[in-house]
Amino acid sequence: MGLMPDVGENMSRKKKTAGTSKLVIIIFVLLIGGVGFLSWWSWATKPYSTTGESEKITINSGTTAAQLAEELQERNLIRSAWAFRYLARAQQSDFMLYVGDYQLAPTMLPSEMIKRLISAGAVSVDTNRITIPEGYTTVQIIDLLVQKGIGSKEQFEKVVTEDGFTYSFLKDAPKGIHRLEGYLFPNTYDIPVKTTPHAVIDLLLQQFAKELTPEVQKQLDILKLSVPQWVTIGSMVEKEAVKQEDRPLIASVIMNRLKIKQPLQIDATIQFLLGTPKPKLYNKDLQIPSPYNTYLNPGLPLGPIANPGHASLQAALNPAQTDFLYYVAKKDGYHEFAETYAEHLKNIKLYQ
């Protein structure tokens, strides 16, 4: 006959089991809550959007980080005012902010906004986020910068034509307004309004210089191209290509024609020398005497005809391996390529 279990001992075990269960449940709830919070925090501290223009935010005397956070959330520049306030406190920035105008964009991280706001010191920072499109000419870039309130047209023209820059790739640049053509790198820049025209132009040249990596120089040596020749080819690719897939193919046509010393006959070079592009080119346009006229002159034009972006420069550096010598634009933005003139004439009938 076995011993009877102690009633008090049973009750104690039940209490312990119940207590353990409650503890497990509490831990589980905390874990779920923690995962949820981490997920929310990840969302709250990301940029509000991947696109969008910068907006001017004016901070008046007495504005606090908390008040600013609410305004930024209302204007759809940040996802969470609370997260912004927490980040501000973490950086010991929950004080009276510096008075002034600031350019903030929905593509910026909240932490990046806070850094910009508190790094201004006692000086107001009024900057413009300016996007220079790929394929813009020097003249177009100057017009854009002036429209954004940075310098005057006369100041920029003087910088472009006369100011000295120490970059080796400008050694043999043509004189005049097109001296820096091709090297004013298209990108998005945060430029303080009070920046001098010289500093702005130098910033764009610095960005181009970053494209000249040792790997790029090695490939240029293989292709037996100088930097100006590379940029000139890249600029023609930029102006001729609409679709990304066509860039290396157009580059191959240019390289193939250069090899056999056949005139490039690039319409974009004619549009460039005209100054004001035409919807349609006529035979008389192709007869205009100019070192940029690739119908009259063999080889490359005098210099770049626009400022190419990274993709076009890469296409010029790595042209497709083809025997194409011709191409014609199609209505969908792509081009049809041909090896012979007879094929090219057929393509013209089909697509134009």
Side-chain angles (χ1 to χ4, degrees):
M1 182 180 292
L3 296 172
M4 292 291 292
D6 186 274
V7 175
E9 186 179 341
N10 263 347
M11 292 295 291
S12 177
R13 286 177 182 173
K14 286 180 181 180
K15 285 181 180 178
K16 286 182 181 179
T17 302
T20 302
S21 299
K22 287 180 181 179
L23 180 61
V24 170
I25 292 170
I26 290 170
I27 292 173
F28 179 75
V29 170
L30 289 174
L31 285 173
I32 294 298
V35 171
F37 176 78
L38 289 175
S39 177
W40 175 86
W41 181 254
S42 176
W43 170 86
T45 54
K46 286 181 179 178
Y48 185 85
S49 174
T50 57
T51 59
E53 296 296 324
S54 62
E55 294 187 28
K56 180 187 282 189
I57 300 295
T58 299
I59 296 180
N60 299 310
S61 178
T63 300
T64 65
Q67 292 168 334
L68 175 62
E70 293 298 330
E71 180 183 354
L72 294 179
Q73 182 173 320
E74 289 173 5
R75 293 175 64 169
N76 295 327
L77 289 171
I78 61 173
R79 295 172 182 267
S80 168
W82 186 91
F84 186 91
R85 291 196 303 272
Y86 180 85
L87 289 170
R89 283 196 297 272
Q91 296 188 31
Q92 297 182 337
S93 310
D94 197 16
F95 48 70
M96 297 301 180
L97 297 165
Y98 293 112
V99 173
D101 294 329
Y102 301 81
Q103 290 292 138
L104 302 177
T107 55
M108 297 170 65
L109 290 166
S111 57
E112 183 183 354
M113 291 183 183
I114 294 167
K115 183 179 179 181
R116 175 173 296 186
L117 290 165
I118 66 176
S119 65
V123 181
S124 165
V125 175
D126 191 357
T127 61
N128 274 327
R129 173 161 285 197
I130 299 175
T131 298
I132 296 175
E134 297 172 343
Y136 258 34
T137 63
T138 297
V139 172
Q140 288 175 306
I141 290 175
I142 289 174
D143 288 341
L144 176 62
L145 292 170
V146 172
Q147 288 170 12
K148 294 292 185 178
I150 303 177
S152 68
K153 187 173 183 179
E154 293 73 21
Q155 289 174 319
F156 275 110
E157 287 178 347
K158 186 177 184 299
V159 170
V160 168
T161 58
E162 300 178 17
D163 281 16
F165 296 97
T166 59
Y167 303 99
S168 60
F169 49 80
L170 298 177
K171 182 181 177 183
D172 299 316
K175 297 189 181 299
I177 193 65
H178 302 304
R179 181 171 71 115
L180 307 182
E181 199 77 66
Y183 307 102
L184 303 178
F185 196 74
N187 206 341
T188 297
Y189 300 90
D190 287 324
I191 304 175
V193 171
K194 293 183 180 179
T195 302
T196 65
H198 179 95
V200 173
I201 295 300
D202 190 51
L203 179 64
L204 273 58
L205 293 172
Q206 287 176 33
Q207 195 65 32
F208 171 80
K210 294 178 182 178
E211 293 288 310
L212 277 171
T213 63
E215 292 75 21
V216 166
Q217 190 58 61
K218 182 178 179 181
Q219 182 65 10
L220 289 176
D221 292 340
I222 293 172
L223 295 174
K224 297 181 180 179
L225 290 175
S226 66
V227 172
Q229 288 172 328
W230 167 49
V231 178
T232 299
I233 294 170
S235 72
M236 290 188 288
V237 171
E238 188 69 70
K239 297 301 287 185
E240 290 282 290
V242 176
K243 303 295 186 180
Q244 173 62 27
E245 297 90 335
D246 280 358
R247 294 181 198 271
L249 294 171
I250 289 174
S252 77
V253 171
I254 293 171
M255 296 298 289
N256 290 340
R257 286 193 169 216
L258 288 174
K259 286 177 187 176
I260 63 175
K261 298 182 179 180
Q262 182 174 340
L264 296 179
Q265 298 179 318
I266 300 289
D267 286 355
T269 63
I270 306 299
Q271 298 283 17
F272 177 76
L273 68 88
L274 287 173
T276 302
K278 290 184 174 181
K280 182 179 180 180
L281 293 175
Y282 295 92
N283 189 60
K284 64 178 182 178
D285 299 317
L286 310 183
Q287 306 306 314
I288 299 173
S290 169
Y292 288 96
N293 189 329
T294 56
Y295 278 82
L296 294 182
N297 307 305
L300 294 171
L302 179 62
I305 61 170
N307 293 280
H310 179 77
S312 290
L313 288 172
Q314 286 298 306
L317 199 64
N318 302 283
Q321 299 302 306
T322 75
D323 293 319
F324 295 142
L325 291 172
Y326 306 89
Y327 59 82
V328 61
K330 300 191 291 186
K331 291 181 180 179
D332 61 0
Y334 288 94
H335 291 77
E336 191 67 28
F337 296 84
E339 296 180 11
T340 67
Y341 187 60
E343 288 179 87
H344 181 57
L345 290 177
K346 289 180 181 178
N347 289 337
I348 291 175
K349 289 182 179 179
L350 283 172
Y351 300 108
Q352 287 193 341

